[in-house]
């Protein structure tokens, strides 16, 4: 059976198992929720275990493979431009939809009281601790961490990326025998990490089962009800961005079938959905983009790790909708200037938030502060956060993969999405070196 079918079935079984389980149910003396958690954590841990070496070797190898400085500059500029434009579009879609639906206003009255705003500030603030950078100066500081190992250990990938970019840049022109050996070693590590990744990927259905079953057991579906309008607004906006705008780019700019790309990305998207972490999903994202969509290693190996960290369309959109919703619920006057402020802050903070579950929340407190609302207003949206996190993370990963396809096509890669997924996968070994001699 195909991997994404296995994952689908695992998700359905997990939803069933989760809805039959209460947090304290046991089976033969075994606490079920703890067992789901264990399975899910083992899978996520395994993925996270490969993320640091994968990011470092993929980026360094990617830069070395791109060849001369001119190519590098051109691809770098295109990547940044595409990431920024698509994220901005996502925020604007969110802004449009939230203005259209005004989920924070019920029957003409701000919904603050109706929603029973959580008063417990400590709880709200504790739930966002350690979620990564909020404001812009923090992002800059993260880019140059004083201690690289500590940054990597704390999941602050931005520093690791900047270091790897620099390392790759100088290793590229290092002509000594030592430089050559180093290039070989890095390529070797990358190949081995990919093999470990492939082993972990085989366990995806099991891991996804654990993650979803635990979430459904814990959250249930009732949590969504009081915030149904807000929930729907976010889902609609995400769906428009992911299923209309991004596919249009694939169709018009890359001249390829968006449906085929979606099909190719299914295992990664389902994992993103289940894990709510684009960093943990990165190994799968790279695997799908390269093997199933046929993008060369040259075009994907520094674009994807970078995207997983800085390009978060779903997150940027969510931040904007959530902040607007809270402001509406508080009965704030949403002038154009305020909305502009929300758009810019959502865009910038989406670059800095960590690619881990619930990371958006910290960014939303920054936006709230910027427009003069208290951080505890976040309490309004905590109940729905986990489920919406799953959707926005899938959109984050989808956004990265679409930009990678656009870049690869603009670099003249004919093979991208040119065959059905199964054939593409079968021919993956033959494509391994596409683009490497273009430098
Ligand atoms: N969970 C998201 C991600 O990993 C970040 C967020 O929006 O909270 O991409």
């Amino acid at each position: 059976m195909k991997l994404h079918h296995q994952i689908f079935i695992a998700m359905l079984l997990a939803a069933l198992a989760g809805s039959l389980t209460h947090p304290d149910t046991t089976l033969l003396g075994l606490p079920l929720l703890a067992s789901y958690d264990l399975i899910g954590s083992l899978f996520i841990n395994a993925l996270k275990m490969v993320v640091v070496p994968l990011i470092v070797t993929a980026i360094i190898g990617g830069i070395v493979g791109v060849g001369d400085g001119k190519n590098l500059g051109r691809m770098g500029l295109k990547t940044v431009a595409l990431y920024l434009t698509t994220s901005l579009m996502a925020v604007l879609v969110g802004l449009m939809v939230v203005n259209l639906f005004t989920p924070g206003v019920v029957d003409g009255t701000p919904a603050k009281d109706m929603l029973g705003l959580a008063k417990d500030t400590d709880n709200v603030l504790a739930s966002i601790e350690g979620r990564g950078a909020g404001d812009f100066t923090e992002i800059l500081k993260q880019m140059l961490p004083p201690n690289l190992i500590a940054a990597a250990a704390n999941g602050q990938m931005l520093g690791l990326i900047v270091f790897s970019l620099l390392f790759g840049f100088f290793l590229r022109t290092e002509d000594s025998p030592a430089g050559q050996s180093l290039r070989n070693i890095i390529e070797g590590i990358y190949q081995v990490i990919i093999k470990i990744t492939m082993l972990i990927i085989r366990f995806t259905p099991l891991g996804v089962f654990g993650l979803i079953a635990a979430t459904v057991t814990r959250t249930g579906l009732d949590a969504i009800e009081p915030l149904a309008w807000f929930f729907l607004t976010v889902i609609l906006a995400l769906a428009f961005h992911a299923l209309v705008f991004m596919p249009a780019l694939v169709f018009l700019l890359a001249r390829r079938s968006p449906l085929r790309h979606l099909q190719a990305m299914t295992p990664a998207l389902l994992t993103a959905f289940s894990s709510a972490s684009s960093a943990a999903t990165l190994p799968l994202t790279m695997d799908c983009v390269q093997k199933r969509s046929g993008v060369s290693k040259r075009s994907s190996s520094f674009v994807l790790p970078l995207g997983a960290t800085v390009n978060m369309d779903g997150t940027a959109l969510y931040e904007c909708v959530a902040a607007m919703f809270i402001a509406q619920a508080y009965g704030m006057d949403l002038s154009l200037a305020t909305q502009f402020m929300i758009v810019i802050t959502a865009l910038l903070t989406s670059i800095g938030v960590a690619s881990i579950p619930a990371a958006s929340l910290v960014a939303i407190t920054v936006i709230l502060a910027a427009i003069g609302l208290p951080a505890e207003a976040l309490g309004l949206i905590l109940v729905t956060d986990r489920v919406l996190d799953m959707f926005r993370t899938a959109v984050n990963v989808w956004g990265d993969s679409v930009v990678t396809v656009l870049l690869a096509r603009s670099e003249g890669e004919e093979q991208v999405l040119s065959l059905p997924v199964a054939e593409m996968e079968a021919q993956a070994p033959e494509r391994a070196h596409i683009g490497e001699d273009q430098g």
Side-chain angles (χ1 to χ4, degrees):
M1 202 193 294
K2 298 231 179 69
L3 182 65
H4 59 272
H5 292 148
Q6 291 178 23
I7 303 178
F8 258 131
I9 293 173
M11 286 174 105
L12 292 180
L13 290 177
L16 187 71
S19 54
L20 295 175
T21 315
H22 288 285
D24 40 16
T25 312
T26 56
L27 185 70
L28 306 171
L30 203 72
L32 279 184
L33 178 57
S35 319
Y36 301 153
D37 272 334
L38 178 66
I39 301 174
S41 314
L42 286 178
F43 175 61
I44 292 295
N45 283 3
L47 284 173
K48 283 189 179 159
M49 182 176 75
V50 292
V51 158
V52 169
L54 185 66
I55 288 188
V56 174
T57 54
I59 293 187
I60 298 177
I63 299 272
V64 169
V66 166
D68 78 14
K70 239 173 54 210
N71 281 341
L72 201 58
R74 186 190 64 237
M75 284 174 70
L77 272 182
K78 276 198 268 191
T79 306
V80 172
L82 282 168
Y83 277 158
L84 274 180
T85 330
T86 49
S87 294
L88 181 65
M89 241 340 263
V91 182
L92 293 179
V93 167
L95 187 72
M96 203 175 67
V97 177
V98 78
N99 272 316
L100 211 66
F101 285 86
T102 50
V105 180
V106 178
D107 296 333
T109 334
K112 176 179 165 230
D113 296 329
M114 207 183 89
L115 292 169
L117 169 60
K119 296 258 162 22
D120 191 350
T121 322
D122 288 348
N123 256 345
V124 173
L125 296 181
S127 68
I128 56 167
E129 219 178 78
R131 298 281 162 191
D135 61 27
F136 193 58
T137 48
E138 272 306 307
I139 299 176
L140 287 180
K141 279 198 218 155
Q142 270 197 22
M143 288 173 125
L144 292 176
N147 183 337
L148 192 64
I149 310 284
N154 292 327
Q156 294 178 350
M157 297 304 166
L158 222 47
L160 206 62
I161 289 178
V162 171
F163 176 81
S164 308
L165 288 172
L166 281 173
F167 197 98
F169 185 77
F170 289 108
L171 180 60
R172 215 171 33 102
T173 47
E174 182 54 54
D175 287 332
S176 62
Q180 188 49 49
S181 313
L182 197 49
R183 282 193 284 272
N184 288 339
I185 289 173
I186 286 174
E187 174 63 25
I189 298 178
Y190 176 81
Q191 298 296 355
V192 174
I193 293 291
I194 291 291
K195 292 210 169 106
I196 301 180
T197 305
M198 276 156 58
L199 175 69
I200 303 171
I201 288 177
R202 280 207 229 143
F203 290 93
T204 312
L206 200 63
V208 162
F209 174 85
L211 293 167
I212 297 271
T215 309
V216 175
T217 305
R218 233 179 238 119
T219 336
L221 295 173
D222 327 335
I224 294 165
E225 221 178 282
L227 287 164
W229 261 125
F230 169 65
F231 190 84
L232 227 77
T233 309
V234 176
I235 298 286
L236 252 168
L238 285 175
F240 181 84
H241 182 74
L243 302 178
V244 179
F245 178 67
M246 297 306 269
L249 291 185
V250 176
F251 186 71
L252 295 174
L253 298 182
R255 305 220 162 262
R256 288 289 186 264
S257 154
L259 216 60
R260 184 163 291 169
H261 183 48
L262 186 67
Q263 209 186 353
M265 291 307 296
T266 317
L269 296 177
L270 294 179
T271 306
F273 182 79
S274 315
S275 66
S277 167
S278 28
T281 311
L282 179 63
L284 265 116
T285 315
M286 293 190 59
D287 189 72
C288 291
V289 168
Q290 291 177 0
K291 295 219 186 87
R292 296 164 60 93
S293 291
V295 174
S296 73
K297 205 178 115 197
R298 174 181 184 265
S299 293
S300 59
S301 56
F302 76 88
V303 174
L304 279 175
L306 191 70
T309 311
V310 305
N311 180 53
M312 299 196 185
D313 293 4
T315 294
L317 180 155
Y318 177 71
E319 285 176 21
C320 173
V321 175
M324 286 288 292
F325 166 71
I326 294 172
Q328 288 171 353
Y330 266 77
M332 241 186 107
D333 168 33
L334 283 163
S335 63
L336 264 185
T338 311
Q339 300 202 24
F340 181 72
M341 175 84 109
I342 292 178
V343 167
I344 295 297
T345 325
L347 185 66
L348 290 179
T349 50
S350 75
I351 297 172
V353 298
S355 327
I356 54 172
S360 291
L361 295 179
V362 71
I364 295 169
T365 59
V366 176
I367 303 183
L368 293 179
I371 59 173
L373 282 174
E376 58 266 39
L378 195 64
L380 280 181
I381 54 163
L382 282 188
V383 258
T384 48
D385 191 66
R386 174 68 199 199
V387 184
L388 290 178
D389 199 359
M390 298 163 85
F391 284 101
R392 65 183 186 251
T393 307
V395 174
N396 288 345
V397 168
W398 174 238
D400 298 340
S401 76
V402 167
V403 165
T404 312
V405 163
L406 297 182
L407 180 88
R409 290 286 294 131
S410 79
E411 289 287 305
E413 287 189 20
E414 280 304 321
Q415 83 286 354
V416 175
L417 296 168
S418 59
L419 296 170
V421 176
E423 281 174 48
M424 206 66 165
E425 223 169 355
Q427 291 186 7
E430 293 156 36
R431 290 194 310 270
H433 295 291
I434 285 186
E436 271 174 14
D437 49 2
Q438 283 186 14

